[in-house]
Amino acid sequence: MIYLIIGCAILIWFIISFFKEKDKKLLEEIRMNWGRPMEKYRNFQSLEKYSTDDDPEPFHTLTFQTLKDIDIENLFSLFDRTATTIGQQFLYNRITFPINNLQKLKDRSSQSTYFIENVSKRESVQKILYKQEKNGTSGITQLFSEKNLVTDKNNVLYKLLTLLAIAGVVGSVFYPVISIFFIPIFGINIMIQYVFKYTKEKQYNILSEVYGLIRSAQKLKKIDTIIDSNSIPNEIKSLKGFVNNYKFLSFGTPGDDLTKALFYFLELIKACFLTEIHLLNNSYAQILAERDSLKQLYKFIGEYDVAISTASLKSDKRFNTCVPDLIEEKKVLKFTNAIHPFINNCIPNSFSLDNNSAFITGSNMSGKSTFLRTVLINSILAQTLYLCFAENYT
């Protein structure tokens, strides 16, 4: 008995040490990436597709020509320090939809400043976001646009086959001989189950992402930060049916070689009764019924990720950033030592224009276009991220 206790203690110690070491490496990665551009794959076609403004009547949308003029892909890659695909989509959304709501801009600035000043909370949030991305997030947006993911013309057939399988098990208890007639039913069900699982791999992955998103939102809710989370408990509660359903769907997933035998046995039992087919269809039905709640959790994760990404940009030692002064009384454009963020060792420019226009002249390759892009980029950032690459900007 004593050896069993010692063996269990050693096993527990190894498990704890493993997760501590894993957590330590993740924290090192987070700190290494802080205040620096992140080299990673960015699917701009996807970002453009799912970048839609929350406001049905946005103040302004940047045109294709403007996005081309500011070299949006390189600009976004410089600003993007997000941990998740969700954060990428929200950041792209934010940059391409300038707003005229000063309070909203100030709130965005306060959120990023909060995560600069509260390092321990920021790193706790980042660990959750990094783990969320490893679980995957790219497929969730499909649930916001596709309406009939649950529709399955074979649904009635699946239910009939399940009832026959159950009847076969119950009937064989009283009349063992009839079990011979139901063996083909089990064989058909097993075949259908594995064909279904192969063809629906994408849907399985999306459900896994949704479950991971809900779990991440639950963890973030427990960290007291500046991000508003008052509605999150209600959103999570409305998705409780899906969570319980998904736990049954994913039950038996092998964690290591020791559990694989049990896993395959459970897989066989589930296949005999087409359990996963019914659970998958029910899960999609529940998610689509609570799509608005899912969107709120998606936005909740995105708010965190964008705020921390902007905080990392502000902490980049290569740049001097300021909070812009946005005024309404008259047409003014003034800035001191503004730079173009793409140009290394950029010579800063100062400028003042009070209720007038200016005509920019100069020889070829003298910097006219670069100067105009500097003004354009900083003007856009002033009304999106509420920051400018300058000492002051009005």
Side-chain angles (χ1 to χ4, degrees):
M1 186 65 179
I2 187 71
Y3 293 113
L4 180 61
I5 294 172
I6 292 171
C8 289
I10 293 172
L11 179 61
I12 292 169
W13 179 80
F14 271 115
I15 292 171
I16 292 172
S17 299
F18 171 77
F19 283 107
K20 277 188 175 180
E21 184 63 25
K22 196 174 181 181
D23 201 56
K24 182 182 176 183
K25 288 182 179 178
L26 177 58
L27 190 58
E28 288 174 356
E29 181 184 351
I30 288 169
R31 289 173 177 172
M32 183 182 69
N33 289 332
W34 183 250
R36 300 171 57 185
M38 295 176 67
E39 294 293 330
K40 59 181 178 179
Y41 173 71
R42 296 173 176 90
N43 186 337
F44 284 95
Q45 186 176 3
S46 175
L47 292 178
E48 291 169 8
K49 182 178 179 181
Y50 294 111
S51 175
T52 56
D53 190 68
D54 292 331
D55 189 343
E57 296 182 2
F59 167 66
H60 185 69
T61 304
L62 298 184
T63 64
F64 172 78
Q65 185 59 53
T66 301
L67 294 174
K68 185 179 178 182
D69 285 342
I70 64 175
D71 192 359
I72 185 61
E73 292 192 7
N74 282 322
L75 189 69
F76 182 80
S77 298
L78 177 66
F79 295 163
D80 174 29
R81 287 101 192 276
T82 57
T84 67
T85 305
I86 299 172
Q88 280 189 352
Q89 290 170 352
F90 272 83
L91 181 61
Y92 192 89
N93 168 280
R94 191 158 290 186
I95 292 173
T96 53
F97 286 95
I99 63 174
N100 63 340
N101 186 326
L102 186 57
Q103 186 55 52
K104 198 170 183 179
L105 289 168
K106 287 181 177 179
D107 289 343
R108 291 176 179 179
S109 182
S110 298
Q111 289 172 354
S112 58
T113 301
Y114 175 89
F115 287 113
I116 293 174
E117 296 172 349
N118 294 271
V119 178
S120 61
K121 287 189 177 182
R122 185 247 302 163
E123 289 180 344
S124 295
V125 170
Q126 284 181 288
K127 284 192 281 187
I128 294 171
L129 295 177
Y130 271 68
K131 290 174 184 177
Q132 166 67 45
E133 184 61 17
K134 287 179 181 178
N135 183 64
T137 57
S138 58
I140 297 175
T141 48
Q142 295 179 38
L143 295 172
F144 304 151
S145 57
E146 296 180 23
K147 296 180 179 179
N148 299 312
L149 289 172
V150 180
T151 302
D152 194 329
K153 60 184 179 182
N154 297 317
N155 223 7
V156 175
L157 176 62
Y158 297 149
K159 290 178 180 179
L160 177 62
L161 288 170
T162 299
L163 288 173
L164 286 173
I166 294 171
V169 172
V170 174
S172 63
V173 173
F174 301 99
Y175 305 100
V177 69
I178 71 169
S179 61
I180 299 173
F181 300 101
F182 284 94
I183 290 175
I185 297 295
F186 291 129
I188 292 170
N189 285 1
I190 291 170
M191 182 183 69
I192 290 174
Q193 173 78 26
Y194 282 98
V195 170
F196 181 90
K197 196 165 186 176
Y198 176 77
T199 57
K200 300 291 183 178
E201 183 180 1
K202 181 180 176 182
Q203 283 84 342
Y204 276 91
N205 291 338
I206 292 174
L207 289 184
S208 175
E209 291 180 7
V210 170
Y211 181 73
L213 179 77
I214 296 169
R215 294 285 295 138
S216 295
Q218 289 173 325
K219 292 174 184 176
L220 290 173
K221 175 66 180 70
K222 295 176 182 177
I223 304 174
D224 183 27
T225 67
I226 195 172
I227 305 293
D228 181 23
S229 61
N230 292 329
S231 68
I232 299 306
N234 292 331
E235 311 300 354
I236 292 174
K237 185 178 180 181
S238 66
L239 290 163
K240 190 175 180 180
F242 163 79
V243 171
N244 293 335
N245 207 62
Y246 181 78
K247 285 178 180 178
F248 281 109
L249 180 63
S250 60
F251 181 73
T253 302
D256 51 49
D257 291 337
L258 296 175
T259 59
K260 281 186 177 178
L262 178 61
F263 166 71
Y264 290 124
F265 176 73
L266 288 172
E267 281 283 284
L268 188 62
I269 297 298
K270 289 192 287 186
C272 286
F273 299 97
L274 300 179
T275 306
E276 287 197 16
I277 293 178
H278 300 305
L279 287 172
L280 182 73
N281 287 340
N282 288 340
S283 295
Y284 266 101
Q286 289 167 332
I287 280 296
L288 293 180
E290 300 295 341
R291 199 183 320 208
D292 290 339
S293 293
L294 183 63
K295 284 183 179 179
Q296 289 304 312
L297 296 188
Y298 197 83
K299 184 178 180 180
F300 182 58
I301 300 278
E303 286 284 347
Y304 267 106
D305 210 358
V306 171
I308 291 175
S309 176
T310 307
S312 178
L313 177 62
K314 287 181 177 180
S315 301
D316 194 326
K317 294 179 181 178
R318 296 173 302 161
F319 303 122
N320 179 32
T321 62
C322 70
V323 173
D325 180 19
L326 302 179
I327 60 176
E328 298 180 2
E329 291 78 14
K330 55 182 179 178
K331 294 182 179 180
V332 173
L333 177 64
K334 297 179 182 178
F335 52 82
T336 304
N337 292 332
I339 64 163
H340 191 302
F342 287 176
I343 301 174
N344 293 326
N345 302 315
C346 181
I347 297 173
N349 282 282
S350 299
F351 190 70
S352 179
L353 200 62
D354 191 343
N355 217 35
N356 276 307
S357 301
F359 194 76
I360 308 297
T361 64
S363 59
N364 290 340
M365 305 299 290
S366 61
K368 301 185 299 296
S369 298
T370 301
F371 176 78
L372 290 173
R373 287 192 179 95
T374 299
V375 176
L376 176 59
I377 288 170
N378 281 288
S379 295
I380 290 170
L381 293 178
Q383 295 177 87
T384 54
L385 302 183
Y386 202 52
L387 64 83
C388 293
F389 293 102
E391 285 184 15
N392 57 69
Y393 199 98
T394 303

